[in-house]
Amino acid sequence: MTTGTRLTAAQRSEEVLNAAITAFAEGGYAGTKTDEIARLAGVSQPYVIRLFGTKQHLFLAALHRVCDRIEKAFRAADDERTDRDAPPTEALRQLGRGYNVFLAERELLQVFMHGIASSSDPVIGDEVRARFGQIFALVRELTGAPLTEARRFIATGMLLTVMSAMQVAGPDAIPADWAEEILENLSTEGH
């Protein structure tokens, strides 16, 4: 939270959204209350509702921010690719290196997982499915990978997402022999 200066509505909204990502990453959609988010952002609960309307709208804003960040990280990894004529497997390997961003920003993966887990809510489910499809389409667009290779890449990414949620992958990983074996093999595959 910024102190000492008066924030604009846009800045305050950004702080609330960042607080929401933190809170939803920890408690999920069902387990997070808007008053927790307000407390983290240093505002009142009615102000949170005034900014976003409902907890569902705030969760969707957090989910979209996370998915935008995922897409941005993949685009940045693709921009670092030097050989544009390389086969799709090499392009996928480059995108996989960008996955380290997500492991370092664990909250992103946690919000994404909570979005998937909350997909039984029709509105959230529609958004999660649409954004997941966009990410899959982006991977194929950036790499030119055939369906089977793109599907394997996404599946590996989801494995890393689950492992990050269990805290056995990423910078704050709790050591586990089985996880280290999986991660070692993943690094040789380009993720």
Side-chain angles (χ1 to χ4, degrees), residues 63-76 98-99 101-102 105 108-109 112 131 135 138-139 142 161:
L63 179 69
H64 285 293
R65 173 63 58 83
V66 165
C67 291
D68 290 347
R69 182 72 180 104
I70 291 168
E71 290 178 6
K72 182 180 177 183
F74 281 157
R75 288 183 192 282
Y99 209 88
V101 169
F102 313 132
E105 298 176 26
L108 298 176
L109 297 175
F112 193 65
R131 290 309 299 260
I135 292 167
L138 178 64
V139 166
L142 294 176
T161 299

Side-chain angles (χ1 to χ4, degrees), residues 16-55:
V16 170
L17 186 55
N18 288 334
I21 289 170
T22 298
F24 286 131
E26 186 176 319
Y29 176 63
T32 300
K33 302 208 178 314
T34 55
D35 60 340
E36 292 174 55
I37 295 167
R39 184 182 46 74
L40 283 173
V43 299
S44 69
Q45 190 271 348
Y47 189 72
V48 170
I49 297 303
R50 189 171 45 215
L51 285 174
F52 290 93
T54 65
K55 180 173 96 168

Side-chain angles (χ1 to χ4, degrees), residues 1 30 66 73 93 110 112 129 133 189:
M1 179 175 78
V66 165
R93 190 169 285 115
Q110 290 174 295
F112 193 65
R129 287 184 288 277
E189 295 171 12

Side-chain angles (χ1 to χ4, degrees), residues 120-150:
S120 62
D121 177 293
V123 175
I124 293 172
D126 285 348
E127 294 295 319
V128 168
R129 287 184 288 277
R131 290 309 299 260
F132 193 92
Q134 286 176 317
I135 292 167
F136 182 72
L138 178 64
V139 166
R140 292 202 65 200
E141 173 193 325
L142 294 176
T143 65
L147 178 62
T148 55
E149 289 179 28

Side-chain angles (χ1 to χ4, degrees), residues 145-162:
L147 178 62
T148 55
E149 289 179 28
R151 185 174 54 220
R152 185 177 314 123
F153 177 84
I154 292 293
T156 301
M158 289 308 298
L159 173 62
L160 287 170
T161 299
V162 169

